[in-house]
Amino acid sequence: MQLSERKRQILLNAVEDYIQQASPITSSVIQHKCAKNLSTATLRNELNALEAMGYLKQLHTSGGRVPTSKGYRFYVDSMMADIPLDKNVLSEIHALFNKRTIYLEDMVNEIASVISKATNYPTVVMLKGFEKLTIRNIKIIPLLTGQALILIETNSGIISNSMETDASVPQQSYIDASNLLTQTLKDCTVADMIKNIKNHKDEMSRQVEEFSGIFDIVIKSLTTLIDKLSQGDNITAKGELKLLNNPEYSDPESARKVLEVLSNPEEIKEVLSEDSADVSFKIGAEIPVEDLQGCTIAKADYQVDGESIASIGIIGPQRMDYAKIASALKFVAGEGANLKALTHKKEAKNEQKQTQKTRK
């Protein structure tokens, strides 16, 4: 049944007031807030009707009402069309991207930390789609520890991993091998590199036989990295204990269920795996994990060049500050486009410098 404009305004104001105050909705509060021209009896009838339609519920016979999952869903769908952006949240997150780390894993950690701090809710970031990133450069750097660092520069950041080294191989060979790998694999995706690296290795080894052992170690290191990421090491959770700041989780048992999900990679994958460039909310029974069905999950993807690189999820009670959360997620989801523009600007600048050097 479609709501009349009067019922719609009463419901939106009721949900907004409950989000801000965490106090059950009463006819007197709503009358003061948005319905001064209605009598108390008329307003009570409207609230009764909204309760009968499933948007509100009474916790106690003589007490006020609280929104249901259906009520929150109506509120979210209504506000998402023209959501006000929270300037305080945006400035804090903008500061993160201004000092963006070049390491993809570190950036994921920082996104989770900053969003959790800005919204005051637990935040989970799942790195995904990294295999779709485009390779720009590869470096192998020998360390004094008997290992070497592999740095794969992509269009979104650097993926790093360590590998064992052969002490008999001179350092210059690693530099030359890095150059040959870059020359061969530049502009390939990480997925193409992983899929075809053995063929590339055979071809490159024929060119320079001494690199064969280095390429074997590189392949082994990349295989280990892929296995690690597929087993849940690509998930970062921050601010889990912020959940306890909400009165809905004053009961240790209700908090425990949610905290256990936050530490379970398989269940986190289940709620974050669906690609979504836009901000979306799953409320109550819409969430596929049973222990989270008393919650709301806000989600958006961080994208680069149109590919989803990470899914960001904010988990909290259904009485959460939807506008603040949507502000944070909308900003971060749009930063991939900014990163693409900055990357192209940087590449154009480098090309210009190279052209000037050539002319000299």
Side-chain angles (χ1 to χ4, degrees):
M1 185 185 299
Q2 190 171 0
L3 294 182
S4 67
E5 182 58 25
R6 185 164 74 183
K7 283 186 175 66
R8 181 177 178 276
Q9 289 302 321
I10 289 171
L11 179 57
L12 292 177
N13 279 278
V15 175
E16 178 70 28
D17 187 72
Y18 185 69
I19 287 171
Q20 299 300 327
Q21 305 300 329
S23 297
I25 301 153
T26 63
S27 55
S28 59
V29 169
I30 296 302
Q31 187 179 45
H32 176 74
K33 194 176 179 78
C34 68
K36 291 184 174 66
N37 59 330
L38 295 181
S39 68
T40 304
T42 301
L43 190 51
R44 272 199 300 267
N45 287 337
E46 294 286 32
L47 290 172
N48 286 337
L50 288 168
E51 183 178 350
M53 296 165 76
Y55 292 104
L56 301 174
K57 64 181 179 182
Q58 260 188 318
L59 297 178
H60 309 290
T61 307
S62 59
R65 296 169 176 84
V66 298
T68 62
S69 296
K70 183 179 178 181
Y72 283 117
R73 169 50 62 196
F74 183 85
Y75 174 81
V76 168
D77 290 345
S78 298
M79 72 155 205
M80 285 301 287
D82 186 26
I83 185 166
L85 299 181
D86 188 311
K87 291 181 180 178
N88 292 330
V89 174
L90 298 188
S91 62
E92 188 163 5
I93 297 175
H94 186 64
L96 160 69
F97 282 95
N98 279 344
K99 61 174 186 179
R100 187 197 322 266
T101 173
I102 58 174
Y103 290 98
L104 199 57
E105 300 97 321
D106 291 344
M107 186 173 71
V108 166
N109 271 285
E110 288 186 18
I111 288 173
S113 295
V114 169
I115 292 183
S116 178
K117 182 181 176 185
T119 62
N120 210 30
Y121 294 109
T123 301
V124 180
V125 179
M126 182 174 75
L127 182 64
K128 65 177 184 179
F130 69 95
E131 70 278 1
K132 300 172 187 174
L133 297 174
T134 304
I135 296 168
R136 298 284 187 243
N137 196 4
I138 298 175
K139 282 188 170 61
I140 306 171
I141 304 170
L143 306 173
L144 296 176
T145 58
Q147 293 184 309
L149 194 62
I150 303 177
L151 301 177
I152 303 172
E153 182 187 346
T154 73
N155 57 326
S156 178
I158 291 177
I159 302 171
S160 64
N161 201 36
S162 59
M163 59 182 250
E164 298 298 322
T165 58
D166 183 343
S168 64
V169 177
Q171 185 167 346
Q172 185 60 44
S173 293
Y174 287 103
I175 296 172
D176 294 340
S178 299
N179 292 335
L180 186 54
L181 279 166
T182 298
Q183 180 184 327
T184 305
L185 298 172
K186 186 178 181 186
D187 296 328
C188 290
T189 64
V190 173
D192 289 338
M193 175 185 71
I194 293 165
K195 181 180 177 182
N196 300 312
I197 196 166
K198 289 187 179 180
N199 296 332
H200 289 311
K201 176 233 170 188
D202 293 338
E203 182 182 337
M204 288 185 289
S205 296
R206 282 194 294 271
Q207 295 179 53
V208 186
E209 188 175 343
E210 69 178 284
F211 294 164
S212 180
I214 295 176
F215 296 147
D216 281 333
I217 298 171
V218 170
I219 292 169
K220 182 180 177 182
S221 175
L222 290 173
T223 303
T224 302
L225 177 63
I226 301 309
D227 289 345
K228 186 171 71 171
L229 290 173
S230 64
Q231 289 168 10
D233 282 10
N234 58 335
I235 295 173
T236 298
K238 297 289 183 182
E240 296 96 324
L241 295 182
K242 292 180 184 294
L243 198 71
L244 304 178
N245 296 336
N246 297 278
E248 290 85 349
Y249 299 103
S250 56
D251 171 27
E253 180 60 20
S254 59
R256 181 187 63 79
K257 288 180 180 180
V258 180
L259 292 173
E260 284 183 355
V261 172
L262 287 170
S263 64
N264 186 324
E266 292 307 313
E267 290 184 311
I268 291 299
K269 284 179 185 177
E270 191 173 353
V271 297
L272 293 186
S273 58
E274 184 180 329
D275 286 351
S276 173
D278 297 323
V279 177
S280 64
F281 291 89
K282 288 192 182 296
I283 303 170
E286 298 169 359
I287 301 171
V289 176
E290 185 177 351
D291 283 345
L292 293 181
Q293 289 183 353
C295 302
T296 287
I297 296 177
K299 178 184 172 295
D301 282 359
Y302 177 74
Q303 296 193 331
V304 176
D305 292 347
E307 299 288 356
S308 293
I309 303 308
S311 285
I312 307 163
I314 299 173
I315 299 172
Q318 292 181 22
R319 184 196 61 83
M320 60 160 51
D321 192 333
Y322 290 91
K324 177 185 280 190
I325 286 166
S327 292
L329 289 178
K330 273 193 171 189
F331 185 88
V332 174
E335 271 299 307
N338 293 342
L339 176 61
K340 179 179 177 181
L342 287 171
T343 302
H344 288 172
K345 188 175 180 181
K346 182 180 176 183
E347 288 175 351
K349 194 172 181 180
N350 288 340
E351 285 178 11
Q352 187 179 14
K353 283 183 180 178
Q354 191 61 42
T355 304
Q356 289 173 348
K357 283 183 181 178
T358 306
R359 285 175 180 171
K360 288 178 181 178

